[in-house]
Amino acid sequence: MSRRRRVYEGKAKILYEGPEPGTLIQHFKDDATAFNKKKHDIVEGKGVLNNRISEYIFIKLGEIGIPTHFVKALNMREQLIREAEIIPLEIVVRNVVAGSLAERLGMEEGTQLPRSIVEFYYKADELDDPLVAEEHITAFGWATPQELDEVMALALRINDFMCGLFLGIGIRLVDFKIEFGRLIENEMIRIVLADEISPDSCRLWDIETNKKLDKDLFRRDLGNLVEAYQEVARRLGILVDPRPGDAKGPVLVQSN
Ligand code: UDP
């Protein structure tokens, strides 16, 4: 395991060389960071939960025809993915006012938006990922106009699907961040959903109580992160409660 070549290490994940060319192993760490790494902690169990939640969502999205980098689950912390050239944009889809939108425009958190909003942030840690317009993206060649149209269409489909998925388990999908990559398939460039979708990258509020079930618990010191992520996993059916008499706490269901 330790001999594997590390290709990239980010805040919450490590990418290792995969078993075949064009593949990578995506490993989810227990590190929690916020405010561009200014706040950092190790949250035991977070990596496993995010891996399993992200894997579940990527498989479901694949089933409705969204192209993704996901190949297969490997173990509780790792998944096999196809290597893609990441488009240097964070795409944020919003359904409810929260976070930076509330701050930037002085709006109250929790206000339902009249329609879903898609925003683009340029991935550059040294600049704190600035908000950019489509004009910047195409002028600087970060993505072509055609790619941007595709990214936008996919982001809205993903949002519709995820809103329904979470609504079905009593959770409001407030907003989320996704990333896309390019990969070559049959000599054509294809845009695929990459990175992860987890409570680290989504705002998830309980419908009944408005309780936060996402990384804002860590960002704002509001409560136990792992318990909240476990709650999301449990409602998605990924985490089963222990049977009476079992010694240990909740256990994650093996995916294959
Ligand atoms: N987000 C993320 N990574 C980032 C920035 C934002 O995953 O680097 C997610 C965040 O969890 C939220 C959504 O994108 O679900 C919108 O975040 P926002 O712009 O409100 O920024 P924040 O308040 O997190 O700084």
Side-chain angles (χ1 to χ4, degrees):
M1 196 110 126
S2 57
R3 293 240 186 81
R4 293 184 305 191
R5 194 168 75 85
R6 191 189 320 210
V7 178
Y8 173 81
E9 177 153 6
K11 291 170 220 161
K13 295 188 291 296
I14 306 174
L15 295 177
Y16 294 102
E17 207 168 54
E20 286 150 36
T23 65
L24 295 171
I25 292 165
Q26 182 163 248
H27 174 107
F28 287 73
K29 302 192 284 184
D30 282 340
D31 296 63
T33 66
F35 314 117
N36 201 0
K37 268 193 184 155
K38 283 172 207 103
K39 184 172 162 80
H40 178 247
D41 227 334
I42 301 290
V43 179
E44 212 175 309
K46 180 177 84 84
V48 170
L49 285 156
N50 278 353
N51 175 46
R52 297 302 316 281
I53 292 169
S54 191
E55 168 197 309
Y56 179 87
I57 294 173
F58 271 61
I59 290 173
K60 292 276 174 219
L61 287 170
E63 285 169 1
I64 62 150
I66 303 285
T68 83
H69 72 168
F70 180 83
V71 179
K72 65 172 184 178
L74 292 177
N75 56 54
M76 297 302 260
R77 245 176 223 285
E78 296 178 332
Q79 42 185 258
L80 187 67
I81 60 169
R82 291 210 281 170
E83 185 169 19
E85 180 190 41
I86 297 294
I87 295 174
L89 296 173
E90 298 200 336
I91 291 102
V92 168
V93 185
R94 301 180 183 276
N95 301 302
V96 177
V97 174
S100 70
L101 178 65
E103 265 174 50
R104 195 172 345 111
L105 299 184
M107 292 180 145
E108 194 177 345
E109 269 214 331
T111 312
Q112 184 77 35
L113 290 164
R115 67 172 79 99
S116 303
I117 293 176
V118 181
E119 295 174 342
F120 302 101
Y121 294 82
Y122 178 50
K123 266 169 75 77
D125 279 344
E126 66 283 12
L127 301 172
D128 278 341
D129 300 343
L131 178 69
V132 291
E134 288 188 38
E135 280 78 1
H136 301 108
I137 298 167
T138 51
F140 298 123
W142 298 327
T144 65
Q146 293 79 2
E147 285 176 332
L148 214 45
D149 284 349
E150 183 152 359
V151 159
M152 184 82 108
L154 287 170
L156 290 172
R157 277 186 71 200
I158 293 167
N159 182 49
D160 279 348
F161 179 82
M162 293 220 306
C163 277
L165 176 76
F166 283 113
L167 187 63
I169 55 169
I171 291 174
R172 186 141 80 130
L173 178 63
V174 170
D175 56 32
F176 62 96
K177 185 270 298 181
I178 44 179
E179 295 183 26
F180 291 91
R182 305 178 183 96
L183 52 81
I184 297 183
E185 211 174 67
N186 302 325
E187 291 170 35
M188 301 256 291
I189 296 178
R190 189 150 192 233
I191 302 286
V192 295
L193 178 67
D195 195 53
E196 68 174 283
I197 299 180
S198 71
D200 265 10
S201 57
C202 302
R203 281 199 172 92
L204 304 170
W205 296 355
D206 182 86
I207 298 231
E208 300 280 315
T209 62
N210 269 337
K211 204 179 122 201
K212 295 183 200 306
L213 300 168
D214 57 59
K215 203 167 109 175
D216 273 347
L217 292 169
F218 172 75
R219 289 192 192 97
R220 305 179 188 181
D221 292 317
L222 292 175
N224 189 309
L225 195 75
V226 163
E227 276 175 18
Y229 288 22
Q230 276 176 346
E231 175 68 24
V232 174
R234 188 178 294 116
R235 290 196 203 180
L236 286 171
I238 302 168
L239 190 69
V240 287
D241 284 314
R243 281 183 298 269
D246 280 0
K248 285 192 234 119
V251 277
L252 281 157
V253 183
Q254 277 287 1
S255 62
N256 54 5

